[in-house]
Amino acid sequence: MKNEEVARLLREMGDLLEMGGENGFKVVAYRRAARSIESMKMDLEEVSLRGELESIPGVGKAIAAKIREFLETGRIEAHDRLFRETPPGMAELLAISGLGPKTVSMLHQRLGVSSVEELELAAREHRVRRLPRMGPTSEKNILRAIERWKKRSDRIPLGVAQPLAEEILGHLKKVEGIGDLTLAGSLRRGRETVGDIDILATSTEPAAAILAFVEIPAVEEVLMRGPTKASVIVDETVQVDLRIVEPRSFGTVIQYFTGSKEHNVKLRQVALSKGYSLSEYSLKRVADGEELFFDREEDLYRHLGMDWIPPEIREDGGEVEAALTGDLPRLVEVSDMKGDLHVHSDWSDGRHPIEEMAFAAQKLGYEYLAICDHSPSLAIANGLAEDRLREKTELIRRLNEEMEGFSVLVGTEVEIRVDGRLDYPDEILERCDVVVASVHSAYQQREREMTNRIISAMESEHVDVIGHPTGRKIGEREPYEVDMERVLEAAARTETAMEINAHPSRLDLNDRWARRAKEMGVTLAINTDAHSTCGLSVMEYGVKTARRGWLEKKDILNTLGLDDLMRYLDRS
């Protein structure tokens, strides 16, 4: 990563110098050096230690001194000075796709533009089109690029990034010469939001792989294209980076670029304690400088005396220590899931009939599916009055007589009212196989009131699961104020399961609270809250969150087979 960081700083210096009217020779020198460093396979630190920085094409004495300065201090004073001397906001304009230093300089000189906001105003007032080499099309492209820039400041939800990444991987798998191919970064770790999408691959024909990548139909813009790396924009704002790496180093490279930064720091410390220096390309023995290469991640961890660590828990949360002592958990898998305990049908606000939901679940290999339509007070979701719930129950009983090897469970997502009472009386809830209790209103309650409200629901002997326990929607709605520590204490006492809602806009409970629930002896249920047959497929996101919370099969209610599940639900 230091190679990339130095290359970025040198490229920025070239751009800032060009904006400032510096002579072309110096500008070209910085850019040439940046390109050379970016395409290098050897670590800059090692080149510097050998005293060979000036052997890099484009790197003379002055640039070599700046590289050494960065390696020693983590910064380049000349770069910082150029930023200080550049009018505030102008450097930011270079992040707008399609704007180079010359254009930015012209916009500043002719229109007084010194920020993205000023550029947007000038374009909307049609002042940009009057400049030399500009016009209505350029103006329109600038406005579109600004909109993309604004959106790209936000992180991408996992549920958006994962399908995009899988589509791109599908194209790359068809490219001749590509071998290993995998995701990296926070997407591989299953974080609820990600920055860019990082893809690593090996290839016998790197140039052909890069060409195929930038020509994928989903690509809307090519940001950068080199011999072994390219960056593109898809879906208007999402940046995707592809790196082609040497097969012998694939194991160390994928480990490095998966992260997290904190995990990598801890792993390097382990390597040093065993007499090695770990880089993204190899494991070097400090005593004699011998380099060891690993084409598989597992072999790298094993050589350091550790078990392989699943990507989801590489957050420096104790995983390195556990791997050294052989105490890593065996994390839950999608294949462990025996059913879904919270889905909706067209009886309330779902799209498909119960029969279709059941058949779709059966195709996924499930043993059971709980149809948990809303209760009456949630009128906006067509909540079921008591007589309609009875009708639905009869339909499910008849359906179960017709199905083989699969059971539809009578369920409800009962509303937890403002005062903590449930939306159905006990005699109705008693007839349900599964009762999920949830909050859908009065989110503004104070912490004490909301906490008591949820705990009151858990005191009911009929409530099996608390649905989406914090009420958040990622990027849309913050969690309501609730003392989750108290809620989990009550869940452990009342033996109420807490839901990990697998919908990628929720992932609620989140990974941190899921791990805390496990520590407190609370059972969890991973449910999709599906409102259609295709919604059942988001289970993988809930499992990812559970894995990030260190959860194992034994911690999850709906990894139980049907008989064991019914015994658990009938435990009262």
Side-chain angles (χ1 to χ4, degrees):
M1 288 295 285
K2 287 186 177 179
N3 290 32
E4 290 194 7
E5 182 65 9
V6 169
R8 181 184 67 80
L9 292 174
L10 294 179
R11 186 175 290 106
E12 285 182 356
M13 290 179 73
D15 290 345
L16 294 171
L17 286 168
E18 185 173 0
M19 282 198 301
E22 185 61 65
N23 71 73
F25 176 78
K26 187 176 290 188
V27 170
V28 170
Y30 277 107
R31 288 176 180 163
R32 185 183 178 209
R35 284 195 302 271
S36 297
I37 291 168
E38 196 168 46
S39 62
M40 281 174 52
K41 295 178 180 178
M42 189 176 294
D43 196 309
L44 262 181
E45 286 185 294
E46 185 169 333
V47 177
S48 180
L49 286 173
R50 293 179 179 178
E52 298 175 354
L53 285 175
E54 291 179 44
S55 67
I56 301 171
V59 175
K61 288 184 179 180
I63 292 179
K66 291 176 174 62
I67 294 172
R68 282 191 290 271
E69 180 187 359
F70 175 84
L71 295 175
E72 293 170 5
T73 68
R75 53 195 292 271
I76 298 175
E77 171 56 32
H79 175 274
D80 296 345
R81 185 176 66 254
L82 281 170
F83 258 92
R84 289 194 299 269
E85 294 172 352
T86 302
M90 280 189 65
E92 195 174 60
L93 287 169
L94 292 171
I96 304 300
S97 177
L99 294 188
K102 289 182 179 178
T103 303
V104 170
S105 181
M106 177 178 66
L107 289 166
H108 178 64
Q109 293 171 9
R110 298 290 191 95
L111 300 179
V113 168
S114 297
S115 68
V116 174
E117 292 76 13
E118 291 174 357
L119 174 59
E120 183 176 14
L121 179 62
R124 294 197 183 283
E125 292 178 346
H126 302 312
R127 288 184 281 133
V128 172
R129 65 177 62 183
R130 301 170 193 158
L131 299 176
R133 301 185 308 280
M134 307 299 276
T137 300
S138 297
E139 198 170 62
K140 183 178 179 181
N141 289 340
I142 285 173
L143 287 171
R144 186 183 296 117
I146 289 173
E147 287 304 309
R148 286 181 179 175
W149 176 82
K150 287 179 179 178
K151 291 178 181 176
R152 283 178 58 197
S153 63
D154 298 327
R155 289 178 64 83
I156 313 156
L158 180 62
V160 173
Q162 187 72 37
L164 285 173
E166 289 173 358
E167 178 185 352
I168 293 167
L169 289 178
H171 285 283
L172 292 174
K173 286 175 183 175
K174 301 173 185 175
V175 177
E176 189 174 349
I178 283 190
D180 298 297
L181 182 65
T182 189
L183 297 172
S186 53
L187 183 53
R188 187 178 181 221
R189 302 202 311 277
R191 289 198 59 177
E192 60 193 36
T193 62
V194 304
D196 301 333
I197 295 175
D198 298 305
I199 300 174
L200 298 177
T202 60
S203 176
T204 55
E205 299 288 341
I210 293 295
L211 177 61
F213 174 63
V214 300
E215 291 184 345
I216 288 173
V219 171
E220 299 172 9
E221 182 180 350
V222 178
L223 299 178
M224 187 278 291
R225 176 180 169 185
T228 59
K229 179 188 173 184
S231 298
V232 301
I233 295 293
V234 301
D235 197 33
E236 295 189 347
T237 62
V238 181
Q239 181 171 329
V240 185
D241 297 335
L242 171 66
R243 303 168 195 269
I244 306 297
V245 303
E246 289 187 349
R248 69 172 184 171
S249 295
F250 190 77
T252 47
V253 173
I254 184 60
Q255 187 285 314
Y256 184 86
F257 282 102
T258 294
S260 66
K261 178 181 177 181
E262 294 76 13
H263 174 83
N264 287 355
V265 168
K266 184 65 68 70
L267 201 63
R268 285 169 187 261
Q269 291 171 352
V270 171
L272 285 171
S273 73
K274 296 178 179 292
Y276 294 100
S277 173
L278 176 61
S279 74
E280 62 201 85
Y281 298 112
S282 67
L283 188 66
K284 181 185 294 186
R285 189 179 289 115
V286 175
D288 56 15
E290 181 185 356
E291 283 190 285
L292 305 176
F293 298 94
F294 301 92
D295 59 357
R296 293 181 352 117
E297 229 183 16
E298 293 85 346
D299 295 335
L300 169 63
Y301 281 98
R302 189 178 299 114
H303 196 85
L304 292 174
M306 308 167 66
D307 292 336
W308 177 79
I309 300 175
E312 294 91 342
I313 60 173
R314 298 183 194 175
E315 302 288 354
D316 191 22
E319 74 281 0
V320 170
E321 293 80 359
L324 286 166
T325 57
D327 294 322
L328 284 172
R330 185 167 184 170
L331 301 180
V332 62
E333 305 272 359
V334 172
S335 59
D336 293 326
M337 306 308 298
K338 303 299 184 185
D340 196 329
L341 297 176
H342 179 185
V343 307
H344 297 266
S345 74
D346 61 357
W347 278 71
S348 62
D349 60 344
R351 288 180 55 194
H352 294 123
I354 294 172
E355 296 91 335
E356 292 185 24
M357 296 295 291
F359 292 142
Q362 194 172 23
K363 285 182 179 179
L364 291 173
Y366 289 162
E367 295 181 22
Y368 50 83
L369 183 73
I371 305 295
C372 296
D373 288 306
H374 292 287
S375 58
S377 70
L378 212 61
I380 193 172
N382 194 29
L384 277 63
E386 293 179 23
D387 58 339
R388 292 187 67 227
L389 179 58
R390 292 190 187 96
E391 286 180 42
K392 188 185 85 168
T393 300
E394 288 304 313
L395 171 63
I396 290 175
R397 302 299 187 211
R398 291 195 301 271
L399 183 60
N400 279 330
E401 292 175 2
E402 301 170 4
M403 301 192 74
E404 294 184 7
F406 185 85
S407 292
V408 181
L409 305 182
V410 176
T412 180
E413 184 177 18
V414 63
E415 182 69 10
I416 305 174
R417 296 177 178 173
V418 175
D419 59 3
R421 289 183 299 124
L422 300 174
D423 212 18
Y424 286 128
D426 285 348
E427 57 266 27
I428 293 293
L429 295 176
E430 191 174 14
R431 298 172 190 166
C432 295
D433 298 314
V434 179
V435 175
V436 177
S438 305
V439 169
H440 292 99
S441 61
Y443 294 119
Q444 74 281 0
Q445 279 186 309
R446 290 175 296 184
E447 180 182 288
R448 182 182 180 85
E449 294 171 334
M450 183 64 79
T451 303
N452 290 338
R453 177 181 177 183
I454 295 173
I455 291 175
S456 177
M458 286 193 286
E459 299 290 351
S460 167
E461 63 177 325
H462 303 298
V463 171
D464 303 300
V465 181
I466 297 296
H468 39 75
T470 73
R472 73 161 180 176
K473 285 194 174 180
I474 299 170
E476 298 178 36
R477 183 173 67 214
E478 291 297 312
Y480 40 65
E481 294 183 15
V482 61
D483 185 340
M484 189 51 63
E485 194 77 16
R486 277 188 61 206
V487 168
L488 293 179
E489 289 172 0
R493 174 174 53 80
T494 61
E495 297 185 316
T496 306
M498 303 298 287
E499 181 179 73
I500 296 177
N501 191 296
H503 195 286
S505 71
R506 288 190 183 272
L507 301 181
D508 180 16
L509 287 174
N510 65 20
D511 50 6
R512 183 172 67 88
W513 282 117
R515 186 173 182 183
R516 181 61 180 141
K518 172 188 172 86
E519 293 169 350
M520 297 175 72
V522 176
T523 299
L524 295 105
I526 308 174
N527 300 319
T528 64
D529 198 357
H531 285 62
S532 65
T533 53
C534 63
L536 294 169
S537 65
V538 303
M539 180 65 78
E540 63 174 306
Y541 298 108
V543 171
K544 276 277 190 183
T545 298
R547 289 171 64 85
R548 286 182 57 79
W550 291 55
L551 300 190
E552 301 174 79
K553 179 179 177 180
K554 63 183 176 63
D555 301 313
I556 309 299
L557 179 58
N558 44 327
T559 61
L560 295 176
L562 179 62
D563 292 341
D564 289 336
L565 174 71
M566 297 312 293
R567 278 192 288 272
Y568 179 92
L569 295 173
D570 292 339
R571 65 198 182 283
S572 58

